[in-house]
Amino acid sequence: MAEAHQAVAFQFTVTPEGLGFQLSREAVRQLYLATVHSWKKRLVRTKNSFLSGVYPASPSSWVLVLMATAGSCYCRVDPSLGLIARIQHCLPHGEALTPRARSVVGTVVFSTGAWLAAVLLFRRLLRLLLSYHGWMFEPHGHMSRSTRLWIMREMREMGGCRSCGRCRTVEMMREMREVREMQELREMMREMWEMREMMREMRELREMMREMWEMREMMREMRELREMMREMREMGGCGSCGRCRTVEMMREMKEALIKIMSIRKPLLYSFQSSLPKLPVPPVKATVARYLESVRPLLDDDKYLEMAALAKEFQEKTAPRLQRYLRLKSWWTTNYVSDWWEEYIYLRGRSPLMVNSNYYAMDFLYVTPSPIQAARAANSVHAMLLYRRRLDRGEIPPMMALGVVPMCSYQSERMFNTTRIPGKETDTLLHLADSKHLAVYHKGRYYKVWLYYGGQLLPPADLEMQFQRILDDPSPPQPGEERLAALTAGERAPWAEARARFFSRGPNKVALDAIERAAFFLALDEDEHGQQPERPGCMDAYAKSLLHGCCYDRCAPQNLTCTHRHPKNTQTPQKPTQPRPCCTAAATTGSFTLVVYKNGKVGANAEHSWADAPIFMLATDKFQLGYTEGGHCKGDPRWQLAPPQRLQWDIPPEAVAAIEASLRVAQAVAAIEASLRVTWVWAQCRFRFRFRCHAMPCHAVLCPQAVAAIEASLRAVAAIEASLRVAQAVAAIEASLRVARALAEDVDFCCFPFSTFGKGLIKRCRTSPDAFIQIALQLAHFRDKGSFCLTYEASMTRLFREGRTETVRSCTAEATAFVRCMADPHGSRSERQRLFKAAAEKHQQLYRLAMTGAGIDRHLFCLYLMSRYLGTQSPFLAKVLSEPWRLSTSQTPQQQLRMFDLNQFPDHVSSGGGFGPVADDGYGVSYIIAGENLITFHVSSKFSSPETDSQRFGRNIRQAMLDIAGLFDKPPPATGK
């Protein structure tokens, strides 16, 4: 093949005259460009790492400190109080260091030390500021003095309050003291939002003016360079000589220095070392909140029993465990994250499909392009652009309320990450870079290179490559189509099969190509999406993304299998697995990008590497765009080598002879034993010749006997090889049966609720999340006639390396409201009062979870510490064995604000979902998209007679309408 010859830099042949080499200029050129690209990336990473390490300072501030110190010394004013003189005294004496040079070196060393000390001081101060979380607990319409001071200091540290903007902020804070009515408060918040937008525009304008100034300087330098070249030509010089090249290099270096010195905005990891550590809450507070959370779920006898266990644990076992846990929190960045990743995710042995992985959908109402290859190309290119910015750390950190930075640690493994199976525990393999993509289509695997000439392939070239795959008429190799089913079954069998059948030869080469890809792309032959005339279309869309055909979503790479939380069937020796944390409207990292035939896209994501991925599914239209015909912009380069088809060593006869090979396996031992005895007793048949010696006699075989024995041994080797291949195919089929049984048991109900959205909920003066969570409690009570332990995922990314915490939504206040709603004699005013109390309680729990005062992560770590110390705790064992029969998660809309949703209201996301956690429970994901839309994703299992996703979906609709009807702003009757 042509691409095979271009893949190597040289070829050689061995002849009688010696070695003959044939160099490939194109290959050498590609190698050179790849090396240059790699070094450029390293330099950019080094520069950004340095800038992040000294934030909020910058290299320009170091220059200012140096100039101020040098100016003071020139004026004979010593700002160092004698330190510069001491530094000069410590410098070595010699001819190289003159007194003037020693003075300069001492000034530079002192200025650098003073600058670094100021950087450390600022970062320490910033950490103290970020450790304050009182702003989350402020009641509506009021703000304490400490919070006001914190906001002013925080905005000053972040650079968010400048000149007149600072005065306006102080003025608006003064007005907040006079606000008493909710309408005035809402108007003030709107003004603050407009002010923030104005300040953002002013910063953008300032940045634009700076760039224009740089362009002006660049044009001036170009004019000087042009004048210099003209003078050199007049003097007989050459514009392409080395002197001109030196001048050009000096100009480029100057431009690079200007860019480095002009960095102002925070980079992705600028706040990482300034974020506070996750605090270890007191055991007494954790136990008290736990007992409060289970009180509405237990009768008096069971509650007293649990309270007794809790008291015994708190007085006898907990103090020792808490001391060790505090010690762990001192030497680790986050006392939860490492254990959470290992024991909850990587040690899970159950199938990851449905139990752990989650999915994300495309736009609900629009499809940017109906052409499958074009949509795939733009989506892939947009993700790769995001990956490049991510590698360089150029993405601004995510901010809570636009002020408080959140941890960016999880972004590190967003791409080039693979979960490697193991018998007892899996491992995460993260590569620094990956230059190819793994593609699946119609049972065939391809390797697509993403770079050419050291540059990223443009969308037009990617579209051409994907179209070549779609047009490829070749059938799958025997056993190739269902190969990925291995990753959909139990983890231990997949680890064993990987070690036995994919550790050598072409299978290892093909598997490495998949595992080391940037991410995985599946070109699906089905069509999915929102179609109002097709009932159940969104349910089919969700099922397709979650498990597909059980072998086209979970490829052995970084695509689709991790763990969120499998059904709760653990013994007390194994903690309950976590709930799904679907926290992004679109996804990335260890994931599979699915592109359907009609241009719709989606993703199935691996969960162990992060909890809040940010997928780029919705940015291809706004970043790149399409032509009028729906194709990618630009012209493709037809000279590009076509995608490489991955090869597998699974011969056709092995697939057809699985059962026969298994029967033959029982006779292998007998055949081998028979062959070992045959040569002893075959003297007459094969004409043995004997020689007599003083030593014991030995037999010498004639050529016919040797040939017969070798043929028999070759037959045995062929049978053993056939058995190995048959066992590999049998392992694939076994995993496929497990995956199909799991997938066919999933019952989905996905529906958009467009009667009202967060606009009406806010007019009811409550939090949209609290409104929906209370509605879910009402729907569940109507569905099953009882309450259950409810899980809602909350993030702890206000702390360094924070992941998630549990909000136990089934509170005493919520159950009281639900019972009042079920009581036909309950008054409207009483229901309103109970609803507001339940909403306020839920908000309080959510704030506690976000600020590190949750329940479940602390108890989880105490449990693991007890296992390490060999201490038995009936209280912890019982807590961690409780099933979560209602697992919920909210998908935030537009975490990165890639486009203005108000300007494009029809580009709302459908959100994402996950499978049920418990066999007899529900999994509910929802996304609050816009002012008048909430999309729900409900999952359960057909095998449970207690659950029905369609029935629960109807109960959710009715519960939302009933709660809205309690207020004076009922929704219109025309919604769905």
Side-chain angles (χ1 to χ4, degrees), residues 520-536:
F520 195 83
L521 172 66
L523 299 175
D524 206 293
E525 286 297 294
D526 296 331
E527 296 185 1
H528 287 287
Q530 167 74 350
Q531 300 177 15
E533 69 279 0
R534 244 186 75 197

Side-chain angles (χ1 to χ4, degrees), residues 56-103:
S58 63
S60 58
S61 62
W62 173 79
V63 174
L64 292 176
V65 173
L66 178 60
M67 293 176 62
T69 306
S72 300
C73 293
Y74 181 79
C75 297
R76 300 186 181 278
V77 177
D78 186 6
S80 66
L81 301 179
L83 287 178
I84 295 179
R86 291 190 177 186
I87 294 174
Q88 295 177 10
H89 180 73
C90 295
L91 292 175
H93 296 273
E95 297 180 358
L97 285 177
T98 63
R100 183 180 297 273
R102 295 163 62 85
S103 176

Side-chain angles (χ1 to χ4, degrees), residues 5 88 460 487 516 524 640 705 739 879 961:
H5 295 284
Q88 295 177 10
T487 67
R516 295 178 176 272
D524 206 293
L640 289 177
V879 168
L961 295 174

Side-chain angles (χ1 to χ4, degrees), residues 139-305:
H140 291 290
H142 300 277
M143 184 178 295
S144 64
R145 179 177 301 175
S146 58
T147 300
R148 293 194 194 100
L149 294 175
W150 174 81
I151 290 178
M152 295 176 64
R153 184 62 181 171
E154 183 76 11
M155 295 183 69
R156 191 175 296 115
E157 289 291 331
M158 300 290 186
C161 184
R162 305 289 188 195
S163 62
C164 63
R166 180 183 303 172
C167 301
R168 180 58 180 159
T169 304
V170 174
E171 180 183 353
M172 295 193 68
M173 288 183 175
R174 190 182 304 115
E175 293 175 359
M176 290 178 65
R177 292 195 296 265
E178 303 173 359
V179 174
R180 292 296 181 265
E181 298 295 330
M182 199 62 189
Q183 184 63 32
E184 296 178 3
L185 177 61
R186 190 182 304 113
E187 185 67 22
M188 185 199 64
M189 295 294 291
R190 185 184 63 80
E191 291 179 5
M192 290 184 63
W193 178 264
E194 292 176 355
M195 185 201 68
R196 195 173 73 90
E197 292 295 320
M198 181 182 65
M199 291 167 59
R200 181 181 60 82
E201 293 174 359
M202 291 177 62
R203 287 195 295 268
E204 293 176 356
L205 180 60
R206 185 168 59 249
E207 185 70 17
M208 187 182 304
M209 293 177 64
R210 185 181 61 81
E211 294 176 357
M212 291 177 63
W213 179 262
E214 291 179 357
M215 291 178 62
R216 179 179 171 223
E217 292 294 318
M218 187 186 305
M219 293 175 64
R220 183 180 60 79
E221 293 175 0
M222 290 178 64
R223 284 196 299 270
E224 294 177 356
L225 179 61
R226 191 184 308 114
E227 186 68 20
M228 185 184 301
M229 294 177 66
R230 185 182 61 79
E231 293 176 357
M232 292 183 64
R233 282 196 298 270
E234 292 176 355
M235 297 172 60
C238 176
S240 60
C241 64
R243 183 181 300 174
C244 298
R245 180 58 183 164
T246 303
V247 173
E248 183 181 354
M249 291 179 63
M250 291 177 64
R251 180 178 60 82
E252 292 178 354
M253 291 176 62
K254 181 178 180 181
E255 291 177 2
L257 286 174
I258 290 176
K259 290 182 179 179
I260 292 176
M261 301 297 288
S262 61
I263 289 293
R264 290 291 189 274
K265 295 182 179 179
L267 300 176
L268 180 62
Y269 303 111
S270 294
F271 296 104
Q272 278 300 103
S273 59
S274 300
L275 292 174
K277 288 187 176 182
L278 183 68
V280 181
V283 174
K284 182 178 180 180
T286 300
V287 171
R289 283 193 288 268
Y290 169 77
L291 292 176
E292 182 185 6
S293 69
V294 299
R295 185 63 187 95
L297 305 175
L298 304 176
D299 56 29
D300 294 340
D301 294 337
K302 292 183 178 180
Y303 178 77
L304 292 176
E305 178 185 356

Side-chain angles (χ1 to χ4, degrees), residues 186-479:
R186 190 182 304 113
E187 185 67 22
M188 185 199 64
M189 295 294 291
R190 185 184 63 80
E191 291 179 5
M192 290 184 63
W193 178 264
E194 292 176 355
M195 185 201 68
R196 195 173 73 90
E197 292 295 320
M198 181 182 65
M199 291 167 59
R200 181 181 60 82
E201 293 174 359
M202 291 177 62
R203 287 195 295 268
E204 293 176 356
L205 180 60
R206 185 168 59 249
E207 185 70 17
M208 187 182 304
M209 293 177 64
R210 185 181 61 81
E211 294 176 357
M212 291 177 63
W213 179 262
E214 291 179 357
M215 291 178 62
R216 179 179 171 223
E217 292 294 318
M218 187 186 305
M219 293 175 64
R220 183 180 60 79
E221 293 175 0
M222 290 178 64
R223 284 196 299 270
E224 294 177 356
L225 179 61
R226 191 184 308 114
E227 186 68 20
M228 185 184 301
M229 294 177 66
R230 185 182 61 79
E231 293 176 357
M232 292 183 64
R233 282 196 298 270
E234 292 176 355
M235 297 172 60
C238 176
S240 60
C241 64
R243 183 181 300 174
C244 298
R245 180 58 183 164
T246 303
V247 173
E248 183 181 354
M249 291 179 63
M250 291 177 64
R251 180 178 60 82
E252 292 178 354
M253 291 176 62
K254 181 178 180 181
E255 291 177 2
L257 286 174
I258 290 176
K259 290 182 179 179
I260 292 176
M261 301 297 288
S262 61
I263 289 293
R264 290 291 189 274
K265 295 182 179 179
L267 300 176
L268 180 62
Y269 303 111
S270 294
F271 296 104
Q272 278 300 103
S273 59
S274 300
L275 292 174
K277 288 187 176 182
L278 183 68
V280 181
V283 174
K284 182 178 180 180
T286 300
V287 171
R289 283 193 288 268
Y290 169 77
L291 292 176
E292 182 185 6
S293 69
V294 299
R295 185 63 187 95
L297 305 175
L298 304 176
D299 56 29
D300 294 340
D301 294 337
K302 292 183 178 180
Y303 178 77
L304 292 176
E305 178 185 356
M306 181 60 74
L309 292 176
K311 183 178 180 181
E312 179 185 3
F313 166 76
Q314 182 177 337
E315 293 177 352
K316 297 181 180 179
T317 311
R320 180 169 176 247
L321 302 180
Q322 182 78 347
R323 285 195 297 270
Y324 279 99
L325 193 59
R326 288 188 182 277
L327 182 62
K328 180 179 185 293
S329 69
W330 292 344
W331 75 63
T332 59
T333 308
N334 189 298
Y335 78 95
V336 177
S337 296
D338 53 346
W339 282 352
W340 188 255
E341 179 177 299
E342 178 182 359
Y343 290 97
I344 294 301
Y345 294 111
L346 298 180
R347 284 182 179 265
R349 302 292 84 196
S350 58
L352 303 180
M353 186 190 72
V354 177
N355 291 329
S356 169
N357 288 8
Y358 58 92
Y359 64 88
M361 289 183 173
D362 196 7
F363 294 126
L364 180 61
Y365 298 119
V366 298
T367 303
S369 174
I371 301 176
Q372 186 177 16
R375 188 75 199 281
N378 261 1
S379 299
V380 169
H381 190 76
M383 292 180 179
L384 294 175
L385 291 178
Y386 182 80
R387 184 185 70 163
R388 182 168 62 184
R389 296 183 61 203
L390 188 68
D391 290 341
R392 297 177 178 179
E394 297 174 350
I395 299 173
M398 193 177 300
M399 298 283 189
L401 302 179
V403 177
V404 184
M406 293 193 291
C407 180
S408 303
Y409 168 74
Q410 298 182 21
S411 302
E412 296 179 2
R413 299 180 293 184
M414 194 171 287
F415 294 92
N416 321 325
T417 303
T418 305
R419 178 168 173 169
I420 305 298
K423 291 185 177 180
E424 296 182 357
T425 179
D426 295 351
T427 57
L428 288 178
L429 172 65
H430 176 68
L431 304 176
D433 193 15
S434 178
K435 299 185 177 180
H436 71 275
L437 183 72
V439 183
Y440 177 91
H441 177 246
K442 285 188 175 180
R444 305 162 301 177
Y445 292 89
Y446 297 85
K447 180 180 181 180
V448 179
W449 290 102
L450 301 173
Y451 290 86
Y452 183 79
Q455 299 295 323
L456 191 64
L457 288 182
D461 290 344
L462 290 174
E463 180 183 359
M464 178 188 67
Q465 297 291 62
F466 296 150
Q467 192 60 49
R468 286 174 173 177
I469 295 176
L470 294 174
D471 296 338
D472 186 2
S474 61
Q477 302 173 53

